[in-house]
Amino acid sequence: MIEHLLDLTVSAFLLAGLYATMAYGLGLIYGVLRVVNLNHGGMIMAGAYAAWWAHDQFGLDPYLSIPIILVLAFLVGVLTYAGLVRRLPRGAAGGVQSLLLLFGVWLILRNAAYLVFSGNDQTVLTSYSTKALPFLGAQISVNRLAVFGVALVTLGALHLFLTRTYVGKAIRAVAQNPESCTLAGVPVQRIYMLTFGLGTALASLAGALATGLYAFNPGFGATELLKSFVVVVLGGLGSVAGTAVAALILALVENFSILVIPSYLTSAVGFVLLVLVLVLRPGGLFGQRVLG
Amino acid sequence: MKPPRWFRWRPAAIVLGLAVALALLPPVARISVYTQNQLTLTFVTIAAALAWNWLGGYLGQVSFGHAALFGLGGFVAARLQISAHLPMILAWTAGGLVAGLYALAWGHPTLRLRGPYFSIATIGVGEATRLVCTYWDWFTGGSSGMSLPVTAGLKLQLYWYGIAIALVGVATSYWLRRSPLGMALLAIKSDVDAAGDVGISSVRLQDGVLFLSGLAMGICGAFNASYYSFIEPVETLGFEKSISFVFMGVIGGVGTILGPALGAVVFVLVRQYFIASYPQLYLGLFGVLLVLVILFEPLGLTGLSLRVARRFGYRERPDLST
């Protein structure tokens, strides 16, 4: 029993890395642009297919294809912003419209994936897919460990970027007050574009990482979008530490729920958690902080 | 007795006249069974699209999970008819009430917050409801579904009930938009704080509209189950069902009074054509449509017709649009 619990805890820690990565992209865009990127799920799915395709066609290891996927997804994000999101009005009406618009983009991506890759479940099998390392009596799959490592590095880099570089500081400033930024000479539109690109790239990174853990099909990403949102709500906007802790909480609750409820209900766990947090602590567990 | 101030004779006469004409179609014009069935489905779709719009349009709280309410109403009504032998109308009412309460259960906490929390939550509710209903086969019949009793003349009866449901939907839409209550909803949509300052309880009104929307959705779902004499969770609760309501609203004009009804008619027609001709492109084409409408004519067909009318010198009353 103790071993089983240890197993669940370790796997929750490793899973939390993935959750934090995918949530951070959503939170970044929402924090800066006040737009919920409903296409987040679509880009997670696209990232997964990109990694799978590169592996399937060229035998490229999923972890090696990540840089290319990041660049491409960044461009997709920039184009989505410049071509679509930018044209919407800001404020209450724009909120609804951006939801619907990005939802439309998601449907298009989904359909495109369905046409190109069919609706079958796909998996990426590498030589190390089934390898595991012993740890305190528990077995840890190499893939989970690698996913966790990549996530950790990404989040660390993001934190440094947002707090230490000029552009990162500009992004945080725009999140706080776009008008003042315009006055201070920050190119707000360009920051928006950059942020949208970054958030989209993070989504596709999460998708590419997820290929090591799950099978996926064109509908992949819907639950992930929801989980990302749960983490964002739990952790507050943009704080890397808050996101990490929230991702860990979600992963722990999900993993341990297996002990008390039937497994088909685990995907509803995140949702129940979301509602609970919204009722009890609408500002997130750590209050609202703006990026950093 | 004086009619309430939101009541207008002209639209009421037009809608009623249309309803009576449609009601007389089967016995007088002897339309084919196919047409009659298509019309029945269109009526209930109109009511459902309007119910979606009360939330998504009037309050700006877009739901991506209304299939959960639609399906739950259907399952509750079907189960009550099969196991408790409840009369159809009673079962529909029960289904609607359960759906309305279910909507409140998850909608109340998420609607209290500003921003898109409600919309995101609906994605989860839709998925979770589908999963749970698929596994609870003692209640829903699982993925093989369950069949309802069929009686003679049911289809014609449902045709008239369908008209009645659509009519109630239209009347409620007018009431929710034109009455003082409707003004309050508009205020909440524009600015929650300002609405609160003038004494509008956003929590209570939003909950009220949510319940109404759930109630109507549940009844529509129950009607749908009776119409097919069959209900199963995969299609009834599927993602596509949920977003079909979004499409109807967007095509017709989100937040307009009758736009979604028009959107529902167009959706039923276009969907038939798409499904028949391009089944693999169906979702993507609707996605493209969604993007184009939002970018170029956010009020959908209603906005388009207003634009055309304006060109010919028509001046709308200011509260007709948005």
Side-chain angles (χ1 to χ4, degrees):
Chain A
M1 191 59 194
I2 296 288
E3 264 165 39
H4 188 49
L5 292 183
L6 185 73
D7 242 2
L8 286 178
T9 315
V10 170
S11 90
F13 263 88
L14 297 181
L15 192 60
L18 178 68
Y19 283 2
T21 313
M22 65 189 193
Y24 204 81
L26 190 73
L28 188 68
I29 294 179
Y30 185 58
V32 176
L33 286 96
R34 296 282 144 184
V35 164
V36 175
N37 182 14
L38 275 195
N39 189 30
H40 196 70
M43 285 313 291
I44 292 178
M45 182 270 294
Y49 270 102
W52 170 80
W53 188 75
H55 181 258
D56 191 58
Q57 294 287 314
F58 312 112
L60 197 59
D61 189 278
Y63 294 101
L64 293 180
S65 58
I66 282 175
I68 311 166
I69 294 174
L70 278 179
V71 172
L72 288 177
F74 181 80
L75 289 178
V76 171
V78 166
L79 287 177
T80 312
Y81 179 74
L84 300 172
V85 181
R86 190 179 186 164
R87 296 166 189 271
L88 295 179
R90 307 235 145 235
V96 177
Q97 288 181 17
S98 64
L99 278 181
L100 293 171
L101 178 89
L102 290 162
F103 186 68
V105 178
W106 184 11
L107 288 182
I108 297 170
L109 272 187
R110 219 168 143 154
N111 202 162
Y114 181 77
L115 281 180
V116 179
F117 302 114
S118 86
N120 298 337
D121 280 358
Q122 304 288 1
T123 45
V124 177
L125 282 179
T126 50
S127 54
Y128 49 85
S129 281
T130 50
K131 290 241 166 61
L133 298 171
F135 173 77
L136 291 177
Q139 291 284 321
I140 303 176
S141 106
V142 175
N143 249 330
R144 282 178 179 269
L145 212 57
V147 167
F148 184 70
V150 175
L152 216 55
V153 170
T154 314
L155 289 178
L158 260 177
H159 183 70
L160 288 180
F161 170 70
L162 285 174
T163 49
R164 301 290 149 79
T165 66
Y166 191 78
V167 181
K169 284 176 183 167
I171 290 180
R172 283 163 57 212
V174 171
Q176 287 180 3
N177 192 332
E179 284 81 18
S180 312
C181 285
T182 317
L183 289 176
V186 177
V188 174
Q189 283 300 332
R190 224 182 299 166
I191 294 290
Y192 280 156
M193 204 151 77
L194 180 75
T195 310
F196 211 93
L198 268 180
T200 311
L202 281 175
S204 73
L205 169 66
L209 290 178
T211 55
L213 310 180
Y214 309 111
F216 53 93
N217 59 35
F220 187 68
T223 0
E224 283 63 30
L225 170 69
L226 190 77
K227 284 178 184 174
S228 308
F229 200 74
V230 175
V231 173
V232 169
V233 172
L234 268 172
L237 280 177
S239 137
V240 172
T243 308
V245 174
L248 183 62
I249 293 175
L250 175 64
L252 279 173
V253 172
E254 270 188 356
N255 271 6
F256 278 92
S257 69
I258 296 170
L259 298 177
V260 280
I261 58 170
S263 61
Y264 63 85
L265 285 177
T266 34
S267 50
V269 165
F271 173 70
V272 174
L273 198 64
L274 174 70
V275 172
L276 281 182
V277 174
L278 288 178
V279 176
L280 301 175
R281 284 204 62 113
L285 290 180
F286 318 104
Q288 293 287 7
R289 267 178 59 196
V290 182
L291 300 180
Chain B
M1 199 181 88
K2 255 185 77 175
R5 287 196 38 203
W6 55 271
F7 186 84
R8 296 279 179 282
W9 284 106
R10 211 170 9 152
I14 294 175
V15 170
L16 261 181
L18 198 63
V20 171
L22 282 168
L24 290 177
L25 263 187
V28 176
R30 302 194 176 280
I31 50 171
S32 69
V33 177
Y34 175 77
T35 319
Q36 183 193 318
N37 288 346
Q38 282 300 314
L39 282 172
T40 311
L41 278 182
T42 311
F43 297 145
V44 75
T45 314
I46 286 176
L50 290 171
W52 179 88
N53 188 49
W54 300 338
L55 261 184
Y58 295 173
L59 280 171
Q61 299 283 4
V62 172
S63 163
F64 295 102
H66 254 40
L69 307 174
F70 185 82
L72 190 67
F75 280 116
V76 169
R79 181 46 74 195
L80 283 175
Q81 286 177 71
I82 292 172
S83 301
H85 303 290
L86 223 59
M88 194 168 70
I89 302 283
L90 269 183
W92 287 2
T93 318
L97 285 174
V98 171
L101 292 175
Y102 180 61
L104 275 186
W106 50 264
H108 174 75
T110 45
L111 274 177
R112 280 197 317 181
L113 302 157
R114 268 153 244 195
Y117 296 102
F118 175 79
S119 297
I120 307 291
T122 56
I123 297 178
V125 171
E127 274 300 297
T129 311
R130 186 176 57 81
L131 278 177
V132 171
C133 281
T134 315
Y135 282 95
W136 281 3
D137 45 7
W138 54 270
F139 175 62
T140 65
S143 30
S144 46
M146 52 186 172
S147 300
L148 280 91
V150 187
T151 49
L154 180 70
K155 283 274 153 91
L156 189 59
Q157 219 180 339
L158 284 177
Y159 178 85
W160 285 320
Y161 283 147
I163 294 180
I165 289 177
L167 212 53
V168 173
V170 170
T172 315
S173 295
Y174 268 99
W175 172 62
L176 278 178
R177 189 70 173 82
R178 293 283 175 78
S179 64
L181 178 77
M183 297 298 120
L185 298 183
L186 196 60
I188 293 171
K189 180 186 177 182
S190 316
D191 192 328
V192 185
D193 291 320
D197 287 346
V198 294
I200 296 167
S201 163
S202 60
V203 174
R204 209 177 302 162
L205 285 184
Q206 286 188 323
D207 281 357
V209 173
L210 176 66
F211 178 75
L212 267 188
S213 182
L215 179 77
M217 224 60 200
I219 291 176
C220 289
F223 180 98
N224 205 53
S226 291
Y227 171 81
Y228 285 109
S229 307
F230 177 72
I231 184 167
E232 52 78 48
V234 178
E235 206 222 307
T236 322
L237 291 168
F239 189 57
E240 284 186 28
K241 191 90 208 167
S242 279
I243 57 182
S244 70
F245 302 121
V246 181
F247 285 135
M248 293 172 211
V250 172
I251 293 172
V254 179
T256 58
I257 298 178
L258 291 183
L262 186 62
V265 175
V266 173
F267 180 84
V268 170
L269 293 175
V270 173
R271 185 173 180 275
Q272 288 257 318
Y273 176 72
F274 270 4
I275 287 271
S277 318
Y278 310 102
Q280 323 85 352
L281 288 177
Y282 164 67
L283 268 188
L285 284 174
F286 267 119
V288 173
L289 201 61
L290 196 55
V291 170
L292 290 179
V293 172
I294 294 294
L295 278 186
F296 297 109
E297 191 54 77
L299 283 182
L301 288 172
T302 310
L304 203 63
S305 51
L306 274 178
R307 203 185 279 191
V308 172
R310 234 174 271 144
R311 177 141 307 169
F312 290 102
Y314 170 80
R315 311 266 301 242
E316 79 268 30
R317 292 195 3 217
D319 64 334
L320 274 177
S321 49
T322 63

